Amino acid sequence: MADYQQMYYILCRAVDSVIDPLERIPLARPAAQTLRAALLAAEEVYLCAEDTPLTLLPTPPADS
């Protein structure tokens, strides 16, 4: 069985490590804010989960 806890840790750690540098780049700031919001949402789901099935959220539309 897949180790979702380990996958969550790896992915969130990588995202967290790039958010602050991205926020310093004006054109990348919206992407950094999207990543930060997703990271916080994932953390909330992770902390509140009680063996509930994984549900995927729709991908937000890309800004033009």
Side-chain angles (χ1 to χ4, degrees):
M1 182 171 206
D3 187 348
Y4 293 108
Q5 200 168 28
Q6 183 66 20
M7 289 188 287
Y8 167 85
Y9 173 77
I10 292 167
L11 182 59
C12 290
R13 186 172 177 198
V15 170
D16 188 50
S17 71
V18 299
I19 288 175
D20 289 335
L22 281 176
E23 285 182 327
R24 289 187 223 121
I25 303 168
L27 290 175
R29 198 168 293 132
Q33 291 170 345
T34 299
L35 288 172
R36 185 177 301 282
L39 187 63
L40 292 173
E43 181 178 8
E44 184 67 24
V45 169
Y46 180 79
L47 293 175
C48 294
E50 294 183 35
D51 297 325
T52 56
L54 178 66
T55 55
L56 300 177
L57 298 175
T59 304
D63 292 334
S64 301

